[in-house]
Amino acid sequence: MSLLSRLREDLDAAASHDPAARGPLENIVVYSGLHAIWMHRLTHKMWANPALRFPARALSQFTRFATGIEIHPGATIGRRFFIDHGMGVVIGETAEIGDDVMLYHGVTLGGRSLAKVKRHPTLCNGVVVGAGAKVLGPVTIGANSAVGANAVVVKDAPADSIITGIPATWRHRDAKMTQPAVDPAEYVDPAIYISSAAPASSP
Ligand SMILES: CC(C)(COP(=O)(O)OP(=O)(O)OC[C@H]1O[C@@H](n2cnc3c(N)ncnc32)[C@H](O)[C@@H]1OP(=O)(O)O)[C@@H](O)C(=O)NCCC(=O)NCCS
């Protein structure tokens, strides 16, 4: 697939993920998340050539200056990626991101070790990471999961998880439907607590 087609897909992803998006021309101008991923598509290609690593880092640093979004050129990012709002996003060198992933502002995909190994998260296809969330270390977030705003995730989560809190815990996306909050056997109709001697409404 050509680089141009990839860039066009990113543009479509912006339109489909943000209800505030109005049209392609406006989106090209106003979405810093788009500017950041487009520059990353270029710097990631440059990163593959050791002679171009310094200019790749320099371009990525310039993009950070312009957008507030820091993506290391070494990070691997799949198709139709979108960052909404953008400011404060950090994506580390060994992060791996699947297709159709979306991040909000303030997200960190960071490391917890200083060793030069795989030390950043892997987000599988269709993951959404809420505003301010930190995913730290070489953890894997399964496909179609959602990380809640401000969560701090340091452990793996399976596909279709909702991951919230500090430290984050996960539940299956459908857990609310399969586990009613009240066991039906223990359900008591609140009407029994309403006194039959309650005053009648005024005439
Ligand atoms: C985590 C999230 C994906 C859950 O969505 P959901 O499955 O629709 O869940 P609900 O809204 O029904 O909430 C389910 C429970 O999780 C709690 N919850 C929701 N978001 C939470 C969060 N970020 N952290 C901690 N708890 C959260 C709710 O209070 C509720 O608790 P309860 O069952 O005790 O009442 C969503 O709330 C979220 O944080 N999305 C990120 C959105 C974002 O960053 N937007 C920025 C726009 S600028």
Side-chain angles (χ1 to χ4, degrees):
M1 169 176 260
S2 74
L3 187 60
L4 196 63
S5 311
R6 286 253 172 147
L7 305 189
R8 196 168 290 139
E9 280 189 340
D10 293 325
L11 181 61
D12 292 343
S16 62
H17 282 110
D18 185 0
R22 298 196 321 146
L25 186 62
E26 182 177 298
N27 298 347
I28 287 170
V29 175
V30 304
Y31 278 85
S32 21
L34 273 177
H35 308 153
I37 184 59
W38 284 343
M39 285 304 278
H40 176 74
R41 302 271 184 229
L42 174 66
T43 60
H44 187 62
K45 277 201 179 299
M46 293 165 72
W47 192 252
N49 179 345
L52 295 179
R53 288 196 164 185
F54 170 67
R57 279 307 300 267
L59 260 180
S60 139
Q61 182 62 16
F62 171 77
T63 309
R64 177 185 184 276
F65 174 74
T67 64
I69 296 167
E70 178 176 328
I71 310 178
H72 192 286
T76 306
I77 301 183
R79 294 166 59 184
R80 299 175 295 276
F81 179 67
F82 181 53
I83 302 173
D84 202 0
H85 307 296
M87 186 62 75
V89 167
V90 176
I91 301 177
E93 179 184 6
T94 62
E96 292 169 272
I97 297 177
D99 296 335
D100 303 298
V101 168
M102 176 179 180
L103 313 182
Y104 284 98
H105 52 287
V107 166
T108 300
L109 304 181
R112 281 189 292 147
S113 131
L114 299 180
K116 282 185 178 291
V117 292
K118 160 80 176 164
R119 61 193 181 283
H120 299 107
T122 298
L123 308 185
C124 299
N125 295 346
V127 168
V128 175
V129 186
K134 321 293 174 210
V135 187
L136 304 175
V139 298
T140 298
I141 307 299
N144 304 315
S145 294
V147 178
N150 286 329
V152 177
V153 185
V154 290
K155 289 189 177 147
D156 292 351
D160 299 306
S161 300
I162 302 291
I163 306 152
T164 54
I166 304 174
T169 54
W170 63 268
R171 66 173 166 82
H172 191 272
R173 194 175 271 287
D174 297 333
K176 273 189 292 186
M177 284 185 280
T178 54
Q179 299 167 6
V182 178
D183 182 340
E186 293 171 12
Y187 177 76
V188 178
D189 186 344
I192 67 166
Y193 297 112
I194 299 170
S195 166
S196 55
S201 55
S202 52

